[in-house]
Structure formats: C-alpha cells, structure tokens
Amino acid sequence: SKPELVKQWKKKTDPANPQHCPTMGAMIEVMDDNVGRVLDALEVNGIADNTIVIFTSDNGGNMYDVADGTTPTDNRPLRSGKGNNYEGGVRIPLIVRWPGKTKPGSVNGSVISTVDHYPSLLEMTGQALRPQDHKDGVSYVPALRGQSFDRGVTLCDFSHYVPATMNIPNTWIRSGDWKLLRFWFDGAGQEHRYELYNLTDDIGETQNLATRFPEKVQTMAAQMDSYYSKTGALKSNRN
C-alpha cells in the first residue's frame, strides 16, 4: 500500500481491536478510493443508470501471512480464512447495484454462490438463461428485488492440501442451516471423515455435531454423492 497511508493507519491501531493491521487498513482505503473512481467515471460518462456494478471477492480474509507483526485480517467469529473451507475462508462480501431495481442500503440474507453470477447477469440484462453453460448456477435476481430466495443445496469443493492454512482435501454441502464437511479418506481407516455444524447456532463452527446427528450426516452425504453421480464431476485422490 501507499507508505503515507500506512503511517496514518498506524496512528489508529488499537491492540484491543481484532483488526489492527495498518497495512491492511491502508490497502482497504486505496481500494475504497478506486471503487469511488470507477463509480465517478460511470457518472461522468452518463452511464451510471445503465450499468450494473458488483463488488465481491474470491476468498475470506487472510489469516496466515504476517504484516506489521500480525495477521492481515481477523475473521472472528468465523473459523479460519483464505485457503480454507471453513466459513472464514468462504464467506465473502457481495454488494450489487442494479439501478432502478435494487433498493439502496437494503440487505438480503440469502445464501449465494459465485457460480450464480452468470445466470443472474443474464437475467438482469434481459437475456435468456443458458442452462448448459451454468449448470451449478442459480439466478439470485429475486434476492436483488428484496424477495425471499433459496438457491437450494450448495456444494463447495476444496479438495487439495494447503499446508499454510491446514486445509485438508474436503467438500462441504450446505442445506438450510446445516453444513456438512467431508474430509476425503481422512479417517483412521482411510474412510471419509465428517464434521457437521449448524451455522445459525454456531457460526464459528466450534461444535462438531456429526456424532449427535448421524441421520443428518447420512442424508447430506447421500445428497453429495447424488450430485457427483448426476454430474459426473471428476474426483481425484492425493496421497
């Protein structure tokens, strides 16, 4: 980031605040300024009312690198961060400005996946959906209109090792409040290992409920297997 901004943010550092990395604060200020430049350019060119703007990310906050003697971000109460499949690594910002359609300042708590952007943009721009091109995507236009929206079961693969973040190859599936993680061939006998969380009650994924709710594990694991069988998605194992 810009050295002069890092210097300014160092003056605001509060050890009692979990977010106390001045370099990250300065980087966010630079990003914020440049988002403003993009929006100003739309206004200057007279196309702000005819342009959809999406602000999002591809990862949760970085919790393992070191800057200014600390981690760049702190995702608590979420568990872990970038490079990991717990909520700290997969919950990301999503702000959509659709002039004349979205209500400024409104919030919708629907679960969205990044694979949903394509069908959503097709619908927002008045084009026909292309199911063969977005097999996993669901248009979230109802959510943008302030309506209730349920994309159905959401599945997320992160099937490789990331030593820095302690990620073990896994896939999770979410249905409503429930999230099941399958750690591939990670059990004592190389069977799959499972973790089950209720995200409404335990957003930090601290209480593994897999042994308490074996039927829920079985049902959601079957949903996962059904997805792989239906789609023919490639699975690979690493030793």
Side-chain angles (χ1 to χ4, degrees), residues 9 16 41-43 52 73 81 98-99 107 123 199 207 212:
W9 280 96
L42 296 178
E43 294 283 355
I52 297 166
T73 58
W98 184 12
V107 177
E123 184 173 353
L199 296 180
Q207 300 294 321
R212 287 180 54 189

Side-chain angles (χ1 to χ4, degrees), residues 135-209:
K135 293 182 179 180
D136 292 333
V138 181
S139 172
Y140 54 76
V141 164
L144 297 179
R145 296 184 185 276
Q147 303 166 5
S148 59
F149 172 72
D150 183 357
R151 74 179 309 279
V153 170
T154 303
L155 185 142
C156 182
D157 273 313
F158 200 176
S159 50
H160 61 275
Y161 291 97
V162 184
T165 68
M166 296 181 288
N167 187 74
I168 298 171
N170 73 89
T171 301
W172 62 250
I173 187 169
R174 177 170 175 176
S175 179
D177 299 331
W178 293 94
K179 175 179 176 181
L180 178 74
L181 294 99
R182 171 186 285 174
F183 293 88
W184 294 91
F185 309 104
D186 193 52
Q190 291 191 317
E191 72 280 7
H192 302 323
R193 179 173 63 83
Y194 292 97
E195 293 181 9
L196 178 70
Y197 301 101
N198 185 301
L199 296 180
T200 297
D201 298 335
D202 180 23
I203 191 62
E205 297 170 290
T206 62
Q207 300 294 321
N208 180 9
L209 303 176

Side-chain angles (χ1 to χ4, degrees), residues 74-87:
D74 190 314
N75 298 325
R76 288 177 292 180
L78 303 181
R79 182 173 176 178
S80 194
K82 175 181 178 180
N84 197 285
N85 225 8
Y86 290 116
E87 290 297 284

Side-chain angles (χ1 to χ4, degrees), residues 6-164:
V6 175
K7 195 172 183 179
Q8 291 178 20
W9 280 96
K10 280 184 179 179
K11 298 176 182 178
K12 301 180 181 181
T13 300
D14 178 5
N17 188 319
Q19 308 295 346
H20 54 261
C21 176
T23 295
M24 177 58 77
M27 291 173 67
I28 291 174
E29 182 173 346
V30 169
M31 179 188 66
D32 190 48
D33 287 344
N34 283 283
V35 169
R37 291 175 66 192
V38 171
L39 298 180
D40 288 346
L42 296 178
E43 294 283 355
V44 169
N45 286 278
I47 57 174
D49 292 337
N50 194 37
T51 303
I52 297 166
V53 178
I54 297 178
F55 178 92
T56 189
S57 175
D58 64 341
N59 291 288
N62 186 325
M63 287 282 286
Y64 58 90
D65 284 328
V66 176
D68 308 313
T70 185
T71 57
T73 58
D74 190 314
N75 298 325
R76 288 177 292 180
L78 303 181
R79 182 173 176 178
S80 194
K82 175 181 178 180
N84 197 285
N85 225 8
Y86 290 116
E87 290 297 284
V90 298
R91 282 192 177 235
I92 57 176
L94 174 59
I95 303 172
V96 181
R97 189 180 78 168
W98 184 12
K101 304 294 183 179
T102 52
K103 181 180 178 181
S106 60
V107 177
N108 190 297
S110 300
V111 175
I112 304 295
S113 175
T114 51
V115 296
D116 299 335
H117 290 312
Y118 184 23
S120 301
L121 285 167
L122 288 175
E123 184 173 353
M124 293 160 75
T125 53
Q127 302 181 69
L129 297 182
R130 306 170 188 175
Q132 289 303 112
D133 294 336
H134 49 77
K135 293 182 179 180
D136 292 333
V138 181
S139 172
Y140 54 76
V141 164
L144 297 179
R145 296 184 185 276
Q147 303 166 5
S148 59
F149 172 72
D150 183 357
R151 74 179 309 279
V153 170
T154 303
L155 185 142
C156 182
D157 273 313
F158 200 176
S159 50
H160 61 275
Y161 291 97
V162 184

